[in-house]
Amino acid sequence: HLIKDSVDDLKEDDNKKVIEENKKREIRRREAVEKEAAAKAARASKPWSKEELAALTKAVKKYPAGGANRWETISLFINNLCRLEDPRSKEQCIEKYNQVQNSSTSQESTAAPLKSPSNKQHKKEKTAPVAAVVNPWTDDQVKQLQKGLSKFPASMDKNERWAQISQGVTGKTKKECVQRFKVIRANLLKRSK
């Protein structure tokens, strides 16, 4: 009977130790989760510089959708190019890309998003119009584009027509004018539905 009591006491002590270890482990886990959440919030609150946005634009064009580890590669590209003290994570790059993508499709005064093949992670993704943030269209440039569109008929040779139109738009290339036209046309088509 004495042995049984002794064994029971040992089991009870072991159970108390296990319970105490589990409590300590849960406290450490909660602290780690809180610390990570605070660090994530601090990173998320840091605004993106023009240099970082330009690097994001360049990286999205350089590493098209469908590539292996695309977003890790993009974040490395941005961090190496900008030499950041607090490097951007792939999640931050994806989040910023989506913010810029969504803001550009909802506003008529931004540059055209360039089409890019989709990948498994981002089905409806287009190459970032981050350039729109760095080099936005002014009202005067839009008016100049519209004036050129009405002055040079669609019956002209396409290259010649867009070359002429772009010459009348201050600070914009032929490619930017074509892209802007496509955005305006897409918005008009959406409205007419």
Side-chain angles (χ1 to χ4, degrees), residues 100-166:
V100 173
Q101 184 70 22
N102 292 336
S103 70
S104 73
T105 55
S106 65
Q107 296 175 2
E108 191 175 300
S109 65
T110 57
L114 304 174
K115 291 186 179 174
S116 159
S118 63
N119 67 11
K120 293 173 191 165
Q121 191 176 12
H122 300 279
K123 295 281 184 199
K124 295 180 182 176
E125 171 177 273
K126 294 177 182 172
T127 302
V130 178
V133 176
V134 178
N135 188 15
W137 279 74
T138 65
D139 290 338
D140 286 340
Q141 289 171 326
V142 172
K143 288 176 187 171
Q144 292 168 351
L145 176 65
Q146 290 170 344
K147 185 178 177 183
L149 287 167
S150 48
K151 183 176 179 182
F152 300 102
S155 59
M156 287 178 68
D157 173 67
K158 285 182 184 178
N159 279 332
E160 181 61 28
R161 179 179 189 226
W162 285 107
Q164 293 293 323
I165 290 171
S166 66

Side-chain angles (χ1 to χ4, degrees), residues 50-89:
K50 285 186 177 184
E51 182 185 16
E52 289 173 288
L53 290 171
L56 179 60
T57 301
K58 191 173 185 179
V60 168
K61 288 178 184 173
K62 186 172 183 168
Y63 304 105
N69 301 321
R70 178 186 190 208
W71 289 103
E72 288 89 348
T73 308
I74 288 173
S75 67
L76 278 173
F77 180 86
I78 292 168
N79 294 330
N80 288 335
L81 191 66
C82 299
R83 306 227 184 263
L84 301 171
E85 285 181 30
D86 187 17
R88 296 289 184 180
S89 68

